[in-house]
Amino acid sequence: MDDILILEQLEADEAKGFKILFDKYYKSLCLQAFILLDNSEEAEDVVQTFFLKLWQEKQYLQIETSLKSYLKSAIRNTCLNKIKQRKTYSEGSMEDAYLIADENSDNGLEDKELQIQVENALNSLPEQCRNIFITVTLENKKYQEAADQFGVSINTVKTQLKRAFSKMREQMIGFK
Amino acid sequence: MKNILKENIEQLIIDYLIGDITDEDRVLLERLISEDEEVKELYQQSRESFLGAKAALFLKQVDQHAAWDKLSKTITPSLEVKTAKTIHFKKWLVAASILLPLAMVSIFIARNYFSNKQQPQLTYKNEKVKLFLASGESIALDRTAKNKTVNTNMAVLHNEQGTLQYELKDQKDALSYNTLVVPRTKDYKIKLSDGTEVWLNSDSELRFPLEFNADQRVVYLKGEAFFKVTKNPKKPFIVKVNESLDVQVLGTSFNVNSYASNALKVALVEGSVKLNSKGEESLLKPGFMATYSPAGGFSQSTFDDQLVLSWMRGIYFFNNANLNEINEIVQRWYDVKIMAEPGADISISGAIEKDKPLEEFLQNLSATSQLKYKVKENNIIILNK
């Protein structure tokens, strides 16, 4: 549904409009938060808390810009504050995160096709290789942590990751 | 880009993307990226596929419906219930201002619950209890099988309600040893030819003959079992454990636990038991448990049969148990491993029941303590929060 219609719906029937808004934006806002925060749980937390507040404070009734840019900048600011609260962060990684967030926010990383592509690539990997890759990408594990978790040596982790990366590159280049 | 270096450069790029890189290497890689087009291209491809995979993996685990359920249940009934519209807005606002703090509290409580609810389900393997006969036959003993009687070359087996009994067919096979293997997640009971009953815990093995020879009854055990030995003073019953320990009895009931080879435990419920290891002996009285370690020999203590024997009823009690203690049971019963994020503080008290899914135990724990967990690759990971 068009954003303008969503806003109209919100005025006519708040609950219904709010649900439509949620359905349309929840996942993409989660993705935005995840790219910025690099932490899946925090990302969902941020977005859920945001929606909660949005409903409770009826903030959507005062939106002056477009709905989309309102939502995106709200998540972005919340994430920025979160990152600042963290004890350690490097300037570089944050700038990097911003770039990525802006790059990817519109070009459809949520695409089903991309997900299928990634899944195919992952499925073609041997089990241990896949598990190590998933752990490292999603949980930001260091080599030693991953090695401990899987009960293997650091070198095994490195070899497996290299395999996963080259497979991923292969598949994703084909996709582009 | 020199070929010799390509492997190394790939490694540096992965290190960089994962964030496990030394400052020196980082500088080196950044220089290579700015100087060498090929390296730059490799870096960009790697980065894009890494971030793409990361994003796709993340999106896959985002459960929008669960999130909506959580949200709509938490904030207000008006999102769910149509009639809420008739409540006057101002009244609602007043109500909300009262309810909001409550709602916030319940978010935190609900978070545990819902985060568990959207988890992938654990799957449990269904490995069967197996009997390996001396004749080379192997028979799967399925508790739910329709055919309760199995005819083998050596014996007729009756397998009913998790208990195995048998009748010998050919006397020449009588004394050779057969092995009953109980895998993780299962347990089993067998009635031997002399009437002795043996309850086997998960991940355990019993070697036994279909009939005992004239002067003694010898069986071999790995894992844990409870024995109820039929009295026969003329024919001592001997359980050989891990080749290092003999448990000799006349007629009695006792529990042998040999999961840990450096602490073999024999707990005597009634009768009397003589333990023998390489010439060293120990006599056990009812209510006492002997622990044998190859290094330290025998030691005795009283035991709580609630704790030691509860496995037979399919229940274990934990009292401020650490992860290793929990895992010992959970791996045996569910074939699932519990891991913890670094720094997560684990001390668990509670009862775990075998015939219930592991999730139930975990959900009880999350409800009563601050413990949070997630299911991953069919393992449990306790979160550091």
Side-chain angles (χ1 to χ4, degrees):
Chain A
M1 194 189 269
D2 220 355
D3 284 355
I4 294 168
L5 292 176
I6 294 180
L7 284 172
E8 279 173 14
Q9 183 71 54
L10 273 166
E11 283 183 34
D13 181 341
E14 289 184 312
K16 204 173 160 197
F18 188 69
K19 172 82 165 91
I20 296 168
L21 172 71
F22 178 89
D23 283 348
K24 183 171 177 189
Y25 282 108
Y26 181 73
K27 274 206 165 191
S28 64
L29 292 178
C30 280
L31 179 65
Q32 193 199 359
F34 175 67
I35 290 167
L36 286 166
L37 294 170
D38 207 3
N39 179 310
S40 55
E41 278 180 41
E42 265 188 283
E44 278 206 79
D45 266 2
V46 161
V47 177
Q48 282 173 17
T49 310
F50 168 74
F51 272 106
L52 180 69
K53 220 175 132 200
L54 186 70
W55 173 259
Q56 281 166 343
E57 296 176 8
K58 309 279 169 219
Q59 289 165 339
Y60 45 82
L61 296 176
Q62 295 129 40
I63 294 172
E64 280 164 12
T65 53
S66 85
L67 179 59
K68 189 174 174 183
S69 56
Y70 171 79
L71 297 172
K72 294 232 172 241
S73 61
I75 294 297
R76 187 184 161 131
N77 291 338
T78 316
C79 292
L80 174 63
N81 285 335
K82 280 235 158 200
I83 296 169
K84 278 185 181 162
Q85 281 163 21
R86 287 180 185 164
K87 278 176 195 158
T88 52
Y89 68 92
S90 70
E91 297 277 339
S93 71
M94 242 180 77
E95 278 164 30
D96 206 24
Y98 271 106
L99 271 172
I100 300 155
D102 293 339
E103 261 172 37
N104 292 328
S105 54
D106 290 319
N107 66 3
L109 258 179
E110 307 125 83
D111 263 356
K112 281 258 148 51
E113 266 183 69
L114 173 72
Q115 284 189 54
I116 292 165
Q117 201 68 22
V118 169
E119 231 160 279
N120 285 345
L122 282 172
N123 286 340
S124 68
L125 298 171
E127 197 184 341
Q128 195 189 38
C129 180
R130 180 170 62 233
N131 291 343
I132 289 176
F133 180 75
I134 292 175
T135 305
V136 170
T137 43
L138 270 189
E139 295 171 22
N140 305 323
K141 289 262 161 79
K142 298 267 190 280
Y143 291 128
Q144 186 60 59
E145 292 166 340
D148 290 346
Q149 182 178 329
F150 288 94
V152 296
S153 70
I154 286 193
N155 273 335
T156 309
V157 170
K158 285 189 180 178
T159 320
Q160 302 286 20
L161 278 176
K162 212 179 248 184
R163 246 165 120 179
F165 266 88
S166 89
K167 195 83 199 176
M168 284 288 155
R169 270 204 313 270
E170 237 171 69
Q171 294 262 353
M172 311 281 269
I173 291 164
F175 180 68
K176 278 234 152 182
Chain B
M1 178 166 56
K2 284 177 191 123
N3 270 337
I4 314 154
L5 268 174
K6 190 177 177 192
E7 282 253 307
N8 296 336
I9 290 170
E10 265 185 70
Q11 186 61 58
L12 284 182
I13 290 173
I14 298 174
D15 295 348
Y16 187 76
L17 290 169
I18 288 171
D20 199 350
I21 189 168
T22 61
D23 288 343
E24 221 172 291
D25 282 351
R26 185 198 301 272
V27 172
L28 171 67
L29 180 68
E30 280 167 356
R31 208 191 71 217
L32 283 168
I33 290 172
S34 66
E35 285 172 1
D36 188 324
E37 273 301 311
E38 264 185 85
V39 176
K40 190 176 174 185
E41 199 183 329
L42 182 65
Y43 167 71
Q44 279 170 346
Q45 283 170 3
S46 302
R47 179 169 166 275
E48 270 174 33
S49 50
F50 178 65
L51 295 174
K54 203 166 176 162
L57 283 166
F58 168 71
L59 282 173
K60 201 182 149 204
Q61 70 165 34
V62 170
D63 187 341
Q64 186 172 326
H65 296 294
W68 174 257
D69 283 351
K70 181 175 164 183
L71 190 67
S72 62
K73 275 176 195 152
T74 317
I75 43 183
T76 155
S78 69
L79 277 176
E80 280 191 322
V81 188
K82 277 275 159 192
T83 53
K85 250 174 40 173
T86 58
I87 298 173
H88 195 272
F89 185 67
K90 269 190 179 165
K91 276 187 191 162
W92 184 86
L93 209 61
V94 173
S97 66
I98 299 164
L99 290 173
L100 188 60
L102 267 178
M104 294 306 283
V105 171
S106 57
I107 292 172
F108 287 105
I109 295 168
R111 191 181 284 161
N112 268 327
Y113 176 71
F114 287 108
S115 65
N116 291 341
K117 224 183 167 187
Q118 1 168 317
Q119 306 250 0
Q121 294 282 302
L122 284 169
T123 54
Y124 299 111
K125 281 184 205 155
N126 189 20
E127 241 181 286
K128 297 211 165 68
V129 176
K130 273 192 172 165
L131 176 64
F132 296 89
L133 288 168
S135 60
E137 293 167 280
S138 78
I139 295 107
L141 301 166
D142 192 338
R143 200 180 277 243
T144 55
K146 284 196 184 98
N147 196 355
K148 306 284 183 202
T149 303
V150 183
N151 209 336
T152 72
N153 291 332
M154 289 171 69
V156 181
L157 310 172
H158 305 284
N159 168 36
E160 215 161 327
Q161 289 174 338
T163 304
L164 177 70
Q165 295 187 59
Y166 50 83
E167 286 150 28
L168 193 62
K169 270 165 79 175
D170 190 343
Q171 200 61 38
K172 77 170 166 46
D173 296 321
L175 300 178
S176 47
Y177 275 78
N178 315 285
T179 310
L180 181 64
V181 178
V182 183
R184 285 180 176 186
T185 76
K186 295 290 186 325
D187 52 53
Y188 213 74
K189 186 184 155 192
I190 181 170
K191 200 167 182 182
L192 301 172
S193 59
D194 65 336
T196 292
E197 292 171 286
V198 185
W199 285 258
L200 282 153
N201 200 351
S202 311
D203 202 7
S204 300
E205 282 181 36
L206 184 76
R207 289 214 301 133
F208 64 97
L210 293 181
E211 228 162 61
F212 292 107
N213 69 21
D215 51 349
Q216 56 182 16
R217 299 171 283 172
V218 178
V219 299
Y220 298 81
L221 175 73
K222 273 188 203 161
E224 180 164 33
F226 182 81
F227 291 86
K228 202 170 166 190
V229 176
T230 306
K231 271 203 171 98
N232 185 351
K234 287 176 196 153
K235 245 186 181 181
F237 191 96
I238 298 168
V239 184
K240 288 190 175 279
V241 190
N242 286 19
E243 291 168 12
S244 61
L245 178 70
D246 287 1
V247 183
Q248 187 179 331
V249 298
L250 300 172
T252 181
S253 46
F254 59 98
N255 192 71
V256 181
N257 177 336
S258 71
Y259 286 126
S261 60
N262 57 356
L264 306 175
K265 290 177 184 154
V266 180
L268 184 62
V269 176
E270 58 171 85
S272 75
V273 154
K274 187 166 78 182
L275 304 164
N276 184 324
S277 176
K278 296 164 193 148
E280 198 186 342
E281 285 192 351
S282 179
L283 268 172
L284 206 53
K285 291 204 168 78
F288 281 83
M289 177 163 79
T291 304
Y292 172 79
S293 73
F298 290 106
S299 66
Q300 286 198 13
S301 61
T302 55
F303 70 95
D304 182 351
D305 41 299
Q306 178 88 326
L307 292 174
V308 174
L309 303 175
S310 60
W311 69 264
M312 290 169 67
R313 302 200 309 273
I315 187 165
Y316 264 108
F317 296 94
F318 296 118
N319 188 12
N320 289 324
N322 65 30
L323 206 54
N324 285 341
E325 294 168 285
I326 304 277
N327 262 324
E328 204 190 312
I329 309 304
V330 168
Q331 287 189 294
R332 198 175 297 146
W333 275 4
Y334 298 98
D335 206 6
V336 166
K337 193 171 178 194
I338 301 186
M339 292 172 287
E341 286 188 339
D345 183 26
I346 318 282
S347 169
I348 293 173
S349 299
I352 183 166
E353 290 179 71
K354 189 180 192 178
D355 57 359
K356 295 191 175 150
L358 181 59
E359 282 97 332
E360 204 171 305
F361 173 63
L362 292 166
Q363 274 159 16
N364 285 341
L365 286 180
S366 349
T368 55
S369 65
Q370 292 304 306
L371 185 139
K372 285 177 79 177
Y373 71 94
K374 64 178 178 182
V375 176
K376 188 161 179 243
E377 307 289 328
N378 216 36
N379 285 319
I380 304 290
I381 297 170
I382 294 181
L383 305 176
N384 179 16
K385 275 222 168 156

